[in-house]
Amino acid sequence: MKEFFIKLGDHPIYKKLLKEPLTYVAGAVLLSVFQIAHFTVFEKGWGVTSTFAVWGTWVYQAIGGDASGWAYYAPEKMQKELYTSFLVDGGSIRNLGIIIGALVATLFASQFKIKKIKTLRQVVAAVLGGLFMGYGARLANGCNIGALFTAIASFSLSGWVFGAFLLVGAFIGSKLLAKYFM
């Protein structure tokens, strides 16, 4: 059995599909195909961060909170989200698939590493960065998938505006990263 996996690891198709990264063009084409398929099957745009907001609300309700009066959940569609279970919620299944798929891809590419946290500054930067990204995603009504990718595919001006500010934020973030963490 071990020999089978050794031979599989040396096979050129395995190396091309699972070991080497895709080109940017191949990634863009695959994302476009998945976007079209998602829109065709579910009749709505692809999104990620709205589901995280719902997960947070589910946790809040599990510890005794009541979110039914929040403006975010005022529309009838969103009221249904409050009482949907994890395995019935399409967004939850997609997000779980993204998380598992990313793990599997990392394992196949032999790139999985657990890194030691070097400083408290690293922890604070990661926590603050995550909070700012999550807050920004909710303000923008989506992340780079919903507010950028889906919006541009839907011919929405908001996607292009989001993209411009995404580039500005990435530029500032890379300068801060280089100055304080490199």
Side-chain angles (χ1 to χ4, degrees):
M1 189 69 160
K2 186 177 179 180
E3 290 177 26
F4 169 77
F5 287 108
I6 291 171
K7 287 181 183 177
L8 179 65
D10 292 333
H11 197 279
I13 293 174
Y14 174 85
K15 285 182 178 178
K16 185 72 177 162
L17 292 177
L18 299 174
K19 287 290 233 181
E20 298 172 7
L22 294 173
T23 65
Y24 289 123
V25 171
V29 168
L30 282 173
L31 277 173
S32 298
V33 167
F34 291 143
Q35 169 75 359
I36 292 166
H38 184 280
F39 195 75
T40 303
V41 171
F42 297 109
E43 297 178 349
K44 67 178 190 173
W46 186 11
V48 174
T49 58
S50 296
T51 301
F52 292 140
V54 173
W55 288 0
T57 305
W58 287 345
V59 170
Y60 177 70
Q61 288 181 318
I63 60 173
D66 179 27
S68 61
W70 293 358
Y72 185 77
Y73 293 104
E76 185 180 329
K77 176 188 160 257
M78 291 307 291
Q79 281 289 318
K80 291 178 186 175
E81 289 283 338
L82 287 174
Y83 306 105
T84 302
S85 72
F86 185 87
L87 294 176
V88 177
D89 181 47
S92 294
I93 299 301
R94 281 189 301 277
N95 282 4
L96 187 62
I98 289 169
I99 293 166
I100 292 170
L103 174 64
V104 169
T106 303
L107 292 172
F108 271 128
S110 302
Q111 296 295 315
F112 184 81
K113 294 176 188 146
I114 296 177
K115 294 185 176 185
K116 181 182 170 194
I117 298 171
K118 296 176 184 165
T119 64
L120 179 62
R121 176 187 260 187
Q122 222 179 8
V123 173
V124 170
V127 169
L128 284 176
L131 288 171
F132 284 140
M133 287 173 60
Y135 183 68
R138 295 310 337 132
L139 283 178
N141 202 19
C143 62
N144 57 340
I145 296 296
L148 176 74
F149 192 67
T150 299
I152 288 174
S154 302
F155 301 109
S156 174
L157 176 62
S158 67
W160 295 103
V161 172
F162 183 93
F165 282 96
L166 184 75
L167 288 173
V168 170
F171 177 78
I172 293 169
S174 65
K175 293 297 181 184
L176 290 172
L177 183 67
K179 183 174 181 178
Y180 294 109
F181 293 101
M182 295 285 182

